[in-house]
Amino acid sequence: MYNKIIPSRRISAVLFMLFCTIFISACNKKLDIDSTHLVNESNNWKSLADARSALLGSYGLLRAALADNNAHWLYGDVRMGDFKATSRLDLKAITENNLNAPYPVVKSLSNWRKFYAVINSCTVFIDRAGEILKNDKQYTEENYKVDVAQMKALRAFTYFYMVRIWGDIPLITASTDGNFTARPKVAAEIVLQFATNELLSIVNNLPYRYGAIENGFNQQNYYGKVAPYWDGILFNRISAYSILAHIAAWQGKYLDAVAYSKFVMTNFGLSGGVYTTTTNLTKVDGLFYGNNAAQLVGFPFNYNTTEMSAIGHMEDLALAAPIIAKAVPQIKMPDDVIASIFNEPNDLRFRFDPLTGLPVSDYFSGYGTSNTVFSKIKCIRNASTDGSLAIYSSALIFTRIEEITLLYAESLAAIGSMDDATDALDIVRNNRGIGLYKGTNAGLVDAIFAERRRELMGEGWRWYDLVRYNKLKNNDARFLELIKKGGIYWPIDEEVLSTNAKITQNEYWR
C-alpha cells in the first residue's frame, strides 16, 4: 500500500521513482522522447523529430529536478513556513532552517547538479539546433527560432530558480556536452542580469499560444498538434514576461516588475489564460489537474499520458486520511495558524459558518480534529476520489494570473502607487469573497502579502515571499540579519565542493 511505502523514504526508492518519472515522461505521448536519444549525441541533430525530442527532454529534466524529493515544496513551502513536520526529522530540520543537518533529503536539496543538467541540455540545443535546420527541410526557420527562444527562456528560468536557492552560482553559457568543468561562482546579480537579457532578447520570438494562428506567427500545427494541446506545457510569451517580472521583483527593481507584470495582466488572455474560481482551484479535476492555459508557467504530470507519479507532488507531503490511505500527513498546518491566516469573513477558501461556527473549506479537511489535512491540491490519478492507490497527476505550477496580479500589487505598492496597488489586490480579494481592501496605505504591503499567503498556499511561494516581504518592510532584525549573512540561501553540497576547487561553501554555512 502507498501509505506503507512512502513514509519509509528509502533513498533507493526515491531514486527509483525519480528514474521512473523521467523515463515515463520520456516515453509519454506528449513528450514522445526515445530514451536512447540524448541531446549531446553527435547523431541526434538530423531531423524534426530530433528537435522535438531534445526540446521536450529539456523541459522533462527541469520537471524532474523540481520534483525530486518534492524539492519545489521543500524549498518554498516547508522552509521556515506555515507547515510543520509531523514526524520526519529531515523535514523538521528544513522548517527550522537547519540546512546542514545530516539527512539524505537535505543533502540532495543542497546539490545543484540536476539544475546544471537542465542548463547544459538547453545550451546544447541552442548551440546545435541549427544543424537540423540544414538537414531537414521540414524544420522551418520559424520553428527553429521558436524552439531556441524556448530553450533560452527555460535556461533563464533555471538560473533564476537557482539564484533564489544558492545566491552566487557558476554561470555557464556554452555547451559542455555533459562535462561539468570547474567554474567559479559569479555574483547573483550578474546571473540574474544574464537571465533578464536572455529573456528580453527572445521574448518576441515566442508565440502567445502554440498551435494557434496569431500576428507574426503561424503555429497552428506546432509539431503536429493544435491548441490547447500545448497549453501549460511550453513557455510562451506570457511565461517569459511572468519570469521577467519575478526576476525584477527578486532584485528589488520594482519599476521593472510593474512593467513586466502589467504586460502579463494586459495580454494573458491571448494565451488562453483566465482567472480561476475558488471551486476550480480546489477541484480534483480543476486548475492543478493535467495542463491548461491558466498555468502561465507550469510543469504537468498528465494522467492520460502516463506522467503521474507518487513522489514529486504537494499531495505526497500533505494528504492523509480520509482522502488517501495514509494515517498521518508528512506535513500539516496547525489549526491556530490556519485561523490566524484566514481571518476575514466570507472567505471562500476557508471560513467559519456564522450560524454553526463550523469550518467551511476545500482547502483543509478535518479542521478541529487531531489530523487537519491540507487538501487544496488533491489530483489523484484520473481525478479520482478513491485514495486507495495514491498516484498523483497534479501539475507543478510556478505561476498563474492570480499570483502575477498579487506580484503587480506588491510592485506598485513598493514604488508608492497605492491606489493602483489596492485595485490589483482587490481583483483577487473579490474573486475569493472577502471584498475590497478597506485598510490604510500603511498596511497595504502587509495586506498584499497576507493575500499571497492565503491564495498561494502549497504552491511553493511562502519562503520567497518572506524574503521579499522582509526586504520591503525592513523591520525584522532577526530576518534582516539572516539576509545580511546569506542565511536565506542553501549550503552547497559537499559532493559539488569536492569536484570543483574554484568554489567555496556559502559563508553562512561554513
Side-chain angles (χ1 to χ4, degrees), residues 45 70 243:
W45 304 97
N70 299 314
I243 298 164

Side-chain angles (χ1 to χ4, degrees), residues 21-84:
T21 300
I22 298 172
F23 179 80
I24 290 171
S25 299
C27 297
N28 70 71
K29 295 177 183 177
K30 283 238 193 300
L31 298 185
D32 195 24
I33 302 166
D34 186 332
S35 61
T36 64
H37 284 189
L38 301 174
V39 295
N40 61 346
E41 290 181 349
S42 60
N43 62 349
N44 194 53
W45 304 97
K46 305 293 185 184
S47 68
L48 181 73
D50 292 335
R52 187 180 192 271
S53 176
L55 178 93
L56 296 173
S58 296
Y59 280 101
L61 282 173
L62 181 53
R63 182 178 66 179
L66 297 173
D68 183 24
N69 283 310
N70 299 314
H72 179 69
W73 298 276
L74 298 190
Y75 288 138
D77 281 310
V78 175
R79 184 182 184 185
M80 295 180 68
D82 297 319
F83 290 98
K84 305 302 178 187

Side-chain angles (χ1 to χ4, degrees), residues 129-354:
E131 297 173 31
I132 302 175
L133 194 62
K134 296 176 182 178
N135 291 323
D136 190 344
K137 292 182 179 180
Q138 294 183 79
Y139 195 55
T140 66
E141 181 73 28
E142 181 175 293
N143 205 154
Y144 166 72
K145 286 182 178 179
V146 168
D147 289 355
V148 169
Q150 286 181 73
M151 292 296 92
K152 288 188 175 183
L154 196 71
R155 183 172 66 179
F157 173 77
T158 304
Y159 270 128
F160 165 59
Y161 201 95
M162 291 178 68
V163 163
R164 294 193 309 169
I165 299 169
W166 288 284
D168 300 345
I169 56 174
L171 177 62
I172 300 172
T173 60
S175 61
T176 60
D177 281 342
N179 297 315
F180 294 95
T181 55
R183 301 287 183 91
K185 288 194 285 188
V186 173
E189 285 301 308
I190 294 175
V191 179
L192 293 180
Q193 192 58 55
F194 169 80
T196 298
N197 292 343
E198 282 278 272
L199 287 164
L200 291 174
S201 73
I202 54 83
V203 68
N204 291 329
N205 288 342
L206 292 169
Y208 286 102
R209 198 174 197 186
Y210 296 87
I213 296 176
E214 61 185 52
N215 291 336
F217 291 92
N218 183 3
Q219 293 293 320
Q220 189 176 17
N221 191 26
Y222 184 71
Y223 285 116
K225 300 293 182 180
V226 298
Y229 183 88
W230 296 113
D231 291 346
I233 294 177
L234 306 178
F235 282 18
N236 57 29
R237 194 176 303 188
I238 297 301
S239 307
Y241 274 106
S242 299
I243 298 164
L244 281 166
H246 269 291
I247 294 174
W250 188 255
Q251 292 175 297
K253 297 179 179 179
Y254 278 109
L255 194 60
D256 290 343
V258 167
Y260 297 137
S261 53
K262 183 176 182 179
F263 181 94
V264 174
M265 293 182 64
T266 303
N267 297 289
F268 76 100
L270 296 175
S271 68
V274 294
Y275 280 93
T276 302
T277 66
T278 308
T279 298
N280 199 51
L281 184 64
T282 57
K283 283 172 58 180
V284 294
D285 60 350
L287 171 70
F288 291 93
Y289 182 68
N291 63 287
N292 57 73
Q295 301 165 3
L296 302 186
V297 177
F299 302 88
F301 289 78
N302 285 291
Y303 179 85
N304 292 331
T305 49
T306 63
E307 295 173 341
M308 68 288 184
S309 63
I311 299 174
H313 302 268
M314 185 60 177
E315 294 98 323
D316 174 41
L317 293 167
L319 288 189
I323 299 170
I324 65 169
K326 182 165 63 174
V328 179
Q330 296 175 55
I331 59 173
K332 64 180 298 184
M333 196 172 295
D335 286 358
D336 60 335
V337 174
I338 296 170
S340 69
I341 294 171
F342 294 92
N343 57 358
E344 298 193 49
N346 304 317
D347 196 318
L348 298 175
R349 295 161 297 198
F350 181 92
R351 64 191 183 279
F352 293 98
D353 186 301

